[in-house]
Amino acid sequence: MKDDDYFMNEAIKEAKKSLLEGGIPIGAVLVKDGKIISKGHNRLIQNDSAILHGEMDAIENAGRLSAEDYKKSTLYTTLSPCPMCSGAVILYNIPRVVIGEESTLEGADKLLKKNGVEVIHLNNPKAKELLDNYIKDNPNSWNQELEKVGFKTNIEL
């Protein structure tokens, strides 16, 4: 059976796609019953989008699933999800989120947990290295994206 590391590697492949497109290397996959049903990656820069984070892209690419399908799904994301993406997880009752790394940017883990979502941290070095290299090579782009949303790493949710 495929495990969390396998699916995280698939999310990392999505993050690399974003990087190749000139975007921020964050990727996600949505998995149901041990199979990938959707993939997505950050498209903020490529699409001049305000909302296409990797998680949102994966959820959107899944199409309109049934409530039961969402309840049987796990979202794998290379970076801890922000409040917007966490809200989508909660809205669609996705019960489990597996995070590649959260040290670069603290997401809304407390919000997820408070709403009954199981949160798993893999501390995946590949996910961290990919984003760290992007930030080192593109500090202005990274800081501009954080500035646009007024993101703070200590949001109490």
Side-chain angles (χ1 to χ4, degrees), residues 95-114:
R96 187 167 182 263
V97 174
V98 179
I99 299 167
E101 74 99 358
E102 73 285 346
S103 63
T104 301
L105 191 65
E106 183 181 337
D109 294 11
K110 290 178 188 175
L111 176 63
L112 289 169
K113 290 176 184 176
K114 191 185 292 188

Side-chain angles (χ1 to χ4, degrees), residues 11-149:
I12 290 169
K13 288 178 187 175
E14 284 297 308
K16 289 177 180 178
K17 282 183 186 178
S18 182
L19 187 62
L20 289 172
E21 294 172 357
I24 301 168
I26 301 168
V29 295
L30 191 61
V31 174
K32 179 184 157 259
D33 297 330
K35 294 179 183 163
I36 295 173
I37 58 172
S38 180
K39 298 177 181 184
H41 54 273
N42 189 294
R43 295 178 192 263
L44 293 176
I45 294 169
Q46 304 91 303
N47 289 23
D48 197 26
S49 171
I51 63 168
L52 281 180
H53 292 186
E55 301 91 340
M56 298 296 280
D57 193 41
I59 291 169
E60 172 69 14
N61 290 337
R64 295 183 51 82
L65 302 177
S66 72
E68 286 307 310
D69 286 337
Y70 287 117
K71 289 177 184 175
K72 294 177 183 176
S73 296
T74 297
L75 181 68
Y76 291 82
T77 177
T78 59
L79 182 66
S80 189
C82 74
M84 175 183 65
C85 296
S86 296
V89 167
I90 294 163
L91 177 67
Y92 290 106
N93 295 303
I94 297 169
R96 187 167 182 263
V97 174
V98 179
I99 299 167
E101 74 99 358
E102 73 285 346
S103 63
T104 301
L105 191 65
E106 183 181 337
D109 294 11
K110 290 178 188 175
L111 176 63
L112 289 169
K113 290 176 184 176
K114 191 185 292 188
N115 284 276
V117 177
E118 179 185 8
V119 177
I120 307 293
H121 293 276
L122 295 183
N123 299 313
N124 183 296
K126 292 178 194 171
K128 178 156 180 44
E129 180 182 11
L130 191 59
L131 190 54
D132 282 351
N133 288 338
Y134 175 82
I135 294 168
K136 183 182 72 168
D137 295 341
N138 303 278
N140 291 337
S141 176
W142 176 252
N143 289 328
Q144 284 173 357
E145 289 305 319
L146 293 181
E147 210 173 271
K148 284 179 186 176
V149 294

